[in-house]
Amino acid sequence: MAQYVITDGSRWIMRNRNGKYVPTSCEALADTFSNKAANNLYNNSLPKALKSVFYIQKIDTPPDNVKQITQSEVENNTEKVMVAENIQKWINKITDLNGLATDALHRKEELCEELSFVDRELSDINHYIEFCNLNAAQGWKAYKMIKERRIKRRSIKNEIQILNIILDKKISDTVTNEILESMSKMDKRTYEPRVMNELFDL
């Protein structure tokens, strides 16, 4: 990124301890700016007396003995979020979560079919009892058939209730995909120097 100073040829603008921009004859103390920041400072913060003699100048070379960091170095030396071990742990959890809603929905559909089948069985047994005169042994068998199916029915309904709780929490593929997408964008972040622009060649 190109850097700029505000100079009159022999003096440079620097920010003093009080936060005011003043001239200095020491080039090493000169503040450097981006083009936008230099123009903003020049137009809005310099007194008219300084404006009349100072101008914005681009710096063609970085300061002596300072190796500027390139964008490539920033990218290559920054840990990638999506492959970091501590982040991968959460990605695995999210991936597992990603199929939860789908699995829950499919399981609920299966259970609803099983529940419907058990209800039809119970209806058949009840009509069998209604239309037949059963002896003690037959009545006992009918009772056992009903009890077995009522227990199975209760188990199915309990599982459906748990699945409804999960599905009501809106844990969807869309939500988990949004989380993964946001995490992947973290590897595409850029850095804009706050103060020491001379260290970066971005």
Side-chain angles (χ1 to χ4, degrees):
M1 179 184 293
Q3 296 297 303
Y4 297 80
V5 293
I6 301 175
T7 182
D8 65 356
S10 60
R11 295 177 300 167
W12 296 264
I13 293 297
M14 63 167 279
R15 189 175 185 179
N16 66 15
R17 295 179 184 177
N18 298 322
K20 293 184 178 180
Y21 289 99
V22 297
T24 177
S25 57
C26 178
E27 185 177 3
L29 296 178
D31 282 350
T32 57
F33 312 91
S34 67
N35 188 28
K36 181 178 179 181
N39 277 285
N40 186 51
L41 171 63
Y42 183 85
N43 292 322
N44 301 311
S45 300
L46 283 189
K48 288 184 180 179
L50 294 180
K51 266 192 196 180
S52 64
V53 292
F54 278 80
Y55 55 89
I56 297 171
Q57 183 180 60
K58 182 179 179 181
I59 301 174
D60 294 323
T61 58
D64 293 338
N65 301 321
V66 175
K67 178 185 181 295
Q68 289 184 305
I69 297 175
T70 65
Q71 183 66 45
S72 175
E73 288 173 315
V74 170
E75 292 174 356
N76 292 333
N77 292 309
T78 301
E79 182 181 35
K80 299 303 180 185
V81 171
M82 294 297 283
V83 297
E85 185 177 347
N86 61 325
I87 303 299
Q88 192 63 46
K89 174 185 68 175
W90 292 106
I91 292 175
N92 291 340
K93 290 181 181 290
I94 292 169
T95 302
D96 291 341
L97 190 64
N98 205 11
L100 179 60
T102 301
D103 290 347
L105 189 58
H106 287 165
R107 178 57 178 161
K108 182 179 177 180
E109 291 172 353
E110 291 174 358
L111 290 171
C112 286
E113 290 180 6
E114 290 181 25
L115 184 62
S116 176
F117 184 78
V118 171
D119 283 340
R120 293 197 301 272
E121 284 185 322
L122 286 169
S123 178
D124 287 346
I125 297 168
N126 287 330
H127 282 90
Y128 168 71
I129 294 171
E130 178 183 354
F131 297 135
C132 294
N133 293 319
L134 306 178
N135 58 33
Q138 292 168 331
W140 173 254
K141 287 181 180 179
Y143 157 77
K144 288 285 289 181
M145 291 170 66
I146 290 174
K147 183 170 184 178
E148 287 172 359
R149 283 155 181 80
R150 294 293 300 183
I151 291 173
K152 183 177 181 180
R153 187 177 190 277
R154 175 51 50 200
S155 176
I156 292 171
K157 291 194 70 175
N158 285 343
E159 189 174 352
I160 289 175
Q161 186 173 355
I162 296 299
L163 294 174
N164 283 336
I165 293 171
I166 293 171
L167 293 169
D168 286 345
K169 296 306 177 185
K170 309 300 182 187
I171 303 173
S172 67
D173 289 352
T174 301
V175 172
T176 51
N177 285 337
E178 285 176 5
I179 295 172
L180 289 171
E181 184 179 351
S182 296
M183 293 174 71
S184 68
K185 287 179 180 177
M186 294 174 71
D187 282 334
K188 300 176 183 176
R189 291 174 297 183
T190 57
Y191 179 76
E192 181 73 24
R194 272 61 168 176
V195 179
M196 303 185 72
N197 298 297
E198 69 274 11
L199 300 180
F200 295 83
D201 181 23
L202 303 179

